[in-house]
């Protein structure tokens, strides 16, 4: 479907593309689209006027780093700092009542904390760390604790491990406890040799790990486990999973059970070919990719290419991506680099200790550098299919 033509002040004509979501996927898509001759105007809609580096939010919470960048969006992108509340036929409704018209739309709304409503007290007394304001609130709470205070981190996956290690290293006088509902470690399968590295790293930092510890209730100053145990907790951190915004669902677009926009292998929404999805909040051909910048950045680039192909009348290619490794930080000085399969199952340890921590920091910096380079040279980014 070809849209109306838009003319820029420089005389360039083409389509108007709106990207909703300014995270890794949305920023990459917006930057890349500025290089497409068929696109005259790119609008990036996000609640924040800058990129939030979610892979650094645990650092922000622990007071060991920052997590925002304001130098990664191309000069040709119009930024709209606003919250999108609904997608209608050809326009995006913002929270302030204004509408942004589009010829093509890229939905890249990302994900946020998943604090379950069926765990009594969790939403009232536990602090998530999956969003910028969440991380700031957690930082404030941690700043108010004294020596000997108990901090409980709920979630034995990648996020929980990194949060617990970061807090333990930054606040050595605080007792940090990590609760894993099942086994400790990233991915759905056995961690293998990586588990030993994680155990040693967490033990070195004094983190107490409890596996099979299902949280039944969170109270002020206390966590109650399913087996009846009551654990003292001055600060409780919820780092057990992510949820996606309900923008696609409330807009009447097809979604899966978790609310992710359903798209085909080419990232195009079958119900409306003007809509392309990217990042955490999409289900590709019925399956969800891992919620990681490793997938979000190339998905954003592919979404931009799909939009350009559609405007040219070409059939877009399916999205392809191979995962090679996963880096887990254990504070600022140690980490572990795991070789992983595409389903995130770790297979072996590639690096550990200080070398892995250096690699993780390099990955964080390169991720931002890639976005910044694409802003200046749209179309340059390539990824391993």
């Amino acid at each position: 479907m070809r849209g109306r033509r838009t003319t820029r002040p420089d005389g360039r004509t083409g389509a108007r593309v709106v990207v909703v979501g300014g995270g890794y996927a949305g920023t990459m898509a917006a930057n890349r689209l500025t290089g497409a001759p068929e696109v005259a105007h790119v609008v990036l809609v996000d609640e924040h006027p800058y990129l939030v580096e979610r892979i650094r939010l645990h650092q922000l919470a622990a007071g060991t780093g920052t997590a925002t960048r304001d130098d990664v969006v191309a000069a040709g992108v119009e930024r709209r700092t606003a919250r999108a509340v609904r997608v209608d036929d050809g326009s995006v409704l913002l929270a302030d009542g204004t509408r942004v018209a589009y010829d093509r739309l890229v939905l890249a709304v990302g994900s946020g904390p998943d604090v379950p409503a069926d765990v009594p007290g969790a939403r009232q007394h536990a602090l998530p760390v999956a969003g910028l304001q969440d991380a700031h609130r957690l930082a404030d709470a941690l700043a108010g604790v004294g020596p000997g205070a108990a901090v409980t981190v709920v979630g034995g996956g990648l996020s929980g491990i990194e949060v617990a290690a970061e807090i333990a290293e930054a606040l050595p006088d605080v007792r940090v406890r990590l609760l894993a509902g099942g086994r400790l470690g990233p991915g759905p399968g056995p961690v293998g040799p990586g588990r030993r590295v994680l155990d040693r790293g967490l033990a070195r930092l004094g983190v107490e790990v409890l596996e099979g510890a299902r949280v039944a209730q969170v109270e002020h100053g206390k966590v109650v486990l399913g087996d009846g145990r009551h654990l003292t907790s001055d600060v409780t951190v919820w780092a057990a999973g992510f949820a996606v915004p309900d923008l696609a669902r409330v807009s009447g677009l097809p979604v899966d059970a978790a609310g992710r926009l359903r798209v085909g292998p080419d990232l195009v929404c079958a119900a409306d070919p003007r809509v392309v999805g990217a990042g955490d909040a999409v289900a590709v051909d019925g399956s969800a990719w891992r919620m990681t910048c490793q997938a979000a950045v190339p998905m954003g680039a592919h979404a931009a290419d799909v939009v350009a192909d559609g405007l040219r009348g070409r059939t877009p290619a399916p999205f392809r991506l191979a995962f090679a490794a996963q880096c887990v930080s254990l504070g600022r000085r140690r980490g572990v680099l795991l070789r992983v399969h595409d389903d995130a199952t770790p297979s072996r340890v590639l690096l550990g200790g200080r070398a892995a921590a250096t690699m993780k920091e390099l990955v964080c910096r390169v991720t931002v550098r890639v976005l910044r380079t694409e802003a200046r040279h749209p179309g340059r980014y390539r990824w391993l299919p």
Side-chain angles (χ1 to χ4, degrees), residues 104-354:
R104 293 293 190 276
L105 176 67
V106 177
L107 278 185
V109 294
S111 59
D114 185 17
V115 183
D118 59 354
V119 176
R123 293 186 174 180
Q124 291 75 32
H125 302 296
L127 298 170
V129 69
L132 182 62
Q133 297 308 316
D134 299 328
H136 279 301
R137 283 191 289 268
L138 178 55
D140 291 342
L142 292 172
V145 301
V151 175
T152 302
V153 179
V154 180
L158 175 62
S159 296
I161 291 168
E162 292 196 329
V163 170
E166 200 77 25
I167 294 173
E169 185 181 79
L171 303 173
D173 294 332
V174 168
R175 295 181 293 120
V176 179
R177 180 189 300 114
L178 178 59
L179 305 181
R183 61 159 185 81
L184 179 75
V191 180
R195 173 59 192 269
R196 293 192 290 273
V197 178
L198 292 174
D199 284 343
R200 287 198 299 268
L202 292 171
R204 187 181 287 112
L205 293 169
V207 177
E208 178 189 6
V209 177
L210 298 179
E211 292 186 298
R214 184 182 64 83
V215 176
Q217 185 170 346
V218 181
E219 301 176 6
H220 178 70
K222 184 186 301 183
V223 174
V224 182
L225 302 184
D227 60 8
R229 281 180 289 174
H230 288 61
L231 307 176
T232 300
S233 183
D234 297 287
V235 177
T236 302
V237 185
W238 199 276
F242 301 93
V244 304
D246 64 353
L247 179 62
R249 182 185 59 79
V250 300
S251 300
L253 295 169
V255 297
D256 68 0
R260 302 180 185 92
L261 174 71
R262 297 181 67 92
V263 298
D266 55 4
L267 306 185
V268 177
C269 176
D272 187 344
R274 295 172 299 176
V275 179
V276 179
D280 293 354
V282 300
V284 183
D285 204 21
S287 300
W289 286 82
R290 288 164 51 195
M291 290 183 173
T292 167
C293 61
Q294 293 181 62
V297 171
M299 286 180 81
H302 188 79
D305 293 345
V306 167
V307 168
D309 284 341
L311 293 169
R312 295 168 189 153
R314 298 177 183 174
T315 301
F319 174 67
R320 301 187 188 281
L321 177 66
F323 289 100
Q326 186 173 54
C327 208
V328 186
S329 66
L330 296 171
R332 294 297 87 213
R333 294 186 290 272
R334 291 180 176 85
V336 57
L337 179 65
L338 300 168
R339 174 72 176 92
V340 297
H341 301 296
D342 284 349
D343 67 352
T345 303
S347 61
R348 61 189 176 94
V349 175
L350 299 175
L351 284 175
R354 292 182 182 273

Side-chain angles (χ1 to χ4, degrees), residues 20-65:
V20 179
Y24 298 109
T27 299
M28 170 56 74
N31 288 347
R32 197 172 182 91
L33 283 164
T34 61
E38 299 79 13
V39 176
H41 194 187
V42 181
V43 182
L44 178 61
V45 177
D46 190 77
E47 294 184 56
H48 302 292
Y50 36 65
L51 171 74
V52 176
E53 293 184 83
R54 195 164 78 179
I55 54 178
R56 289 193 186 274
L57 285 175
H58 60 295
Q59 294 178 243
L60 174 62
T64 59

Side-chain angles (χ1 to χ4, degrees), residues 6-13 39-40:
T6 300
T7 303
R8 291 163 53 110
D10 60 7
R12 176 175 164 184
T13 61
V39 176

